[in-house]
């Protein structure tokens, strides 16, 4: 795993990072260009943008928060990739007010669809920003993981509420505006003109295991990472993942 994404944070990012890195490597081979143009919608402080820039790619981050973009600029400078990272204020529903249509080899849409008023339009904009055969990396909150977490915490009524709620919310106090099943995400992506290549369950176990165990038990962190990687592509575990990741390719 990349040194940029260690150690505790790696439990949340490792699976997606490895899949994304492989997708970028494939685009490099397909295009014959060492440096790709990558768009990170809702990229915030650069959790993925900075590591992607470290691979040599040019990254544009679109985020509505000025504070996040300021932190991104500082983080990119500290990592020595400031010349390859550009931050612009905006959001995915107004994406083409700030970036060009069809100008990117890969688009990251991580933690965005939970918050937008029109998820279908958000996905269409992300896809429209891609060049033909470009890669889409989409990460969103999973319904099943929330249901499982509420049930394990003893909140059985809230767990059942999340199951029946159209947005997958467990109640008025739920901080997450919307959650998805794997089928819902793949339908959104397919309808926008993307061929789904893989679906991954992210944080299947990481949010359920006590942090003290991972932090103090020798070898526990590495073993848990290996377990997360092993189950990520198994459909049986998608239904209990905290997050779901969809990787696809825009139709040429």
């Amino acid at each position: 795993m990349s040194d940029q994404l260690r150690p505790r944070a790696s439990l949340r990012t490792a699976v997606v990072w490895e899949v994304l890195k492989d997708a970028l490597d494939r685009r490099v081979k397909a295009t014959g260009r060492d440096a790709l143009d990558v768009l990170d919608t809702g990229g915030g402080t650069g959790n993925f943008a900075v590591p992607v820039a470290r691979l040599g790619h040019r990254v544009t981050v679109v985020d509505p928060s000025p504070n996040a973009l300021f932190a991104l600029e500082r983080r990119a400078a500290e990592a020595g990739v400031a010349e390859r990272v550009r931050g612009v204020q905006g959001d995915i529903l107004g994406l083409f007010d700030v970036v060009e249509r069809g100008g990117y080899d890969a688009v990251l849409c991580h933690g965005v669809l939970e918050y937008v008023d029109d998820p279908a339009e958000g996905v269409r904009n992300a896809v429209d920003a891609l060049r033909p055969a470009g890669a889409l990396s989409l990460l969103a909150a999973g319904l099943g993981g929330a249901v499982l977490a509420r049930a394990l915490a003893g909140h059985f009524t809230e767990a059942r509420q999340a199951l029946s709620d159209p947005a997958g919310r467990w109640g008025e106090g739920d901080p997450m505006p919307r959650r998805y099943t794997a089928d819902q995400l793949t339908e959104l992506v397919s309808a926008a003109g993307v061929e789904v290549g893989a679906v991954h369950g992210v944080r299947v176990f990481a949010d359920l295991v006590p942090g003290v165990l991972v932090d103090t038990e020798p070898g526990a962190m590495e073993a848990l990472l290996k377990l997360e990687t092993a189950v990520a592509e198994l459909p049986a575990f998608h239904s209990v993942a905290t997050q779901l990741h969809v990787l696809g390719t825009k139709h040429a």
Side-chain angles (χ1 to χ4, degrees):
M1 187 185 67
S2 168
D3 289 339
Q4 297 98 319
L5 298 175
R6 290 181 181 273
R8 284 288 286 165
S10 62
L11 287 173
R12 297 179 177 271
T13 56
V15 170
V16 178
W17 171 248
E18 293 302 332
V19 171
L20 176 62
K21 185 176 180 296
D22 288 344
L24 294 174
D25 288 345
R26 290 195 299 271
R27 290 306 301 149
V28 165
K29 293 176 182 177
T31 61
R33 290 183 282 110
D34 291 335
L36 302 175
D37 295 304
V38 178
L39 175 64
D40 188 354
T41 64
T45 61
N47 286 339
F48 282 91
V50 169
V52 168
R54 277 177 165 163
L55 297 177
H57 304 305
R58 297 176 292 270
V59 187
T60 299
V61 175
V62 175
D63 197 278
S65 168
N67 291 336
L69 293 174
F70 178 77
L72 167 72
E73 183 179 354
R74 184 174 66 244
R75 188 174 191 171
E78 291 173 352
V81 295
E83 74 283 359
R84 292 197 293 274
V85 176
R86 178 174 72 103
V88 292
Q89 189 173 0
D91 61 50
I92 198 165
L93 296 187
L95 189 60
F96 301 115
D97 294 335
V98 293
V99 302
E100 66 174 306
R101 192 181 298 266
Y104 298 90
D105 301 291
V107 171
L108 282 58
C109 183
H110 295 172
V112 173
L113 294 188
E114 298 92 328
Y115 300 96
V116 297
D117 293 332
D118 189 339
E121 182 183 352
V123 175
R124 286 195 299 270
N125 284 352
V127 175
D128 285 347
L130 283 168
R131 292 168 179 152
L136 174 68
S137 174
L138 191 152
L139 182 69
L143 171 62
V147 173
L148 183 62
R150 300 316 289 172
L152 290 178
H155 304 299
F156 307 121
T157 301
E158 291 179 351
R160 191 177 64 185
Q161 170 67 21
L163 275 176
S164 59
D165 185 75
R169 304 183 75 235
W170 47 255
E172 291 298 323
D174 192 340
M176 187 65 69
R178 190 180 285 107
R179 294 183 179 88
Y180 298 88
T181 65
D183 287 344
Q184 288 171 335
L185 288 179
T186 55
E187 287 172 9
L188 281 171
V189 169
S190 297
V194 167
E195 180 179 353
V196 176
V199 178
H200 306 91
V202 180
R203 289 157 57 192
V204 175
F205 303 109
D207 292 349
L208 303 177
V209 176
V212 64
L213 172 65
V214 178
D215 291 335
T216 61
E217 187 73 20
M221 173 76 73
E222 184 178 356
L224 180 54
L225 283 171
K226 289 180 178 178
L227 178 60
E228 290 279 355
T229 301
V231 303
E233 287 196 55
L234 299 178
F237 291 93
H238 294 169
S239 60
V240 294
T242 299
Q243 292 178 304
L244 294 164
H245 179 247
V246 178
L247 182 71
T249 303
K250 182 178 181 178
H251 294 304

